[in-house]
């Protein structure tokens, strides 16, 4: 097998992978676009909680909630005489809320 053919094969494989990822993203977008506004909010922000009151517009029953886990990176300097810059990433669980009335998204 010549080196030229090998590089050609690598190029084709990388191209197929990129194409596959793009098709999957397009499918996701098409799926979300086909939903009704209410289903779309439920898909993106979790089910609607009829007991929650939006702190921004005071509307009750239109707040979606779902638990999320996100990476939070904190940087700082530790040490005594010799200071060392540190960076640590921790996974933080919180609940994301979204109001369907005023379109505000916030975390608790
Ligand atoms: Zn609101």
């Amino acid at each position: 097998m010549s080196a030229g053919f090998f590089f050609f094969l690598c190029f084709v494989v990388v191209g197929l992978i990129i194409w596959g990822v793009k098709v999957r993203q397009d499918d996701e977008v098409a799926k979300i676009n086909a939903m009704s506004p209410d289903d779309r909010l439920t898909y993106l922000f979790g089910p609607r909680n009829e007991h929650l009151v939006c702190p921004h517009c005071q509307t009750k029953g239109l707040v979606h909630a779902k638990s999320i886990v996100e990476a939070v990176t904190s940087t700082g300097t530790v040490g005594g005489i010799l200071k060392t810059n540190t960076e640590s990433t921790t996974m933080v669980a919180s609940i994301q809320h979204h109001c369907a009335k005023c379109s505000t998204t916030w975390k608790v």
Side-chain angles (χ1 to χ4, degrees):
M1 190 162 67
S2 70
F5 183 68
F6 178 73
F7 283 118
F8 172 74
L9 265 185
C10 289
F11 180 77
V12 169
V13 168
V14 168
L16 280 175
I17 291 170
I18 293 171
W19 180 76
V21 169
K22 193 182 172 333
V23 165
R24 227 172 301 151
Q25 284 171 342
D26 287 351
D27 279 357
E28 181 81 359
V29 169
K31 193 171 99 181
I32 292 172
N33 283 340
M35 293 175 177
S36 69
D38 201 46
D39 286 347
R40 193 179 305 154
L41 285 173
T42 302
Y43 180 77
L44 293 172
F45 299 106
R48 209 165 57 202
N49 187 325
E50 60 190 50
H51 304 292
L52 287 176
V53 178
C54 173
H56 307 280
C57 67
Q58 267 58 52
T59 303
K60 189 180 178 187
L62 288 177
V63 177
H64 294 257
K66 77 168 178 183
S67 54
I68 54 167
V69 177
E70 58 183 347
V72 175
T73 304
S74 56
T75 54
T77 307
V78 293
I81 298 165
L82 189 69
K83 303 285 186 197
T84 312
N85 286 325
T86 60
E87 188 179 292
S88 65
T89 304
T90 48
M91 301 305 282
V92 176
S94 55
I95 295 175
Q96 184 184 58
H97 288 151
H98 178 83
C99 174
K101 178 92 184 284
C102 65
S103 297
T104 309
T105 305
W106 69 101
K107 283 179 292 185
V108 290

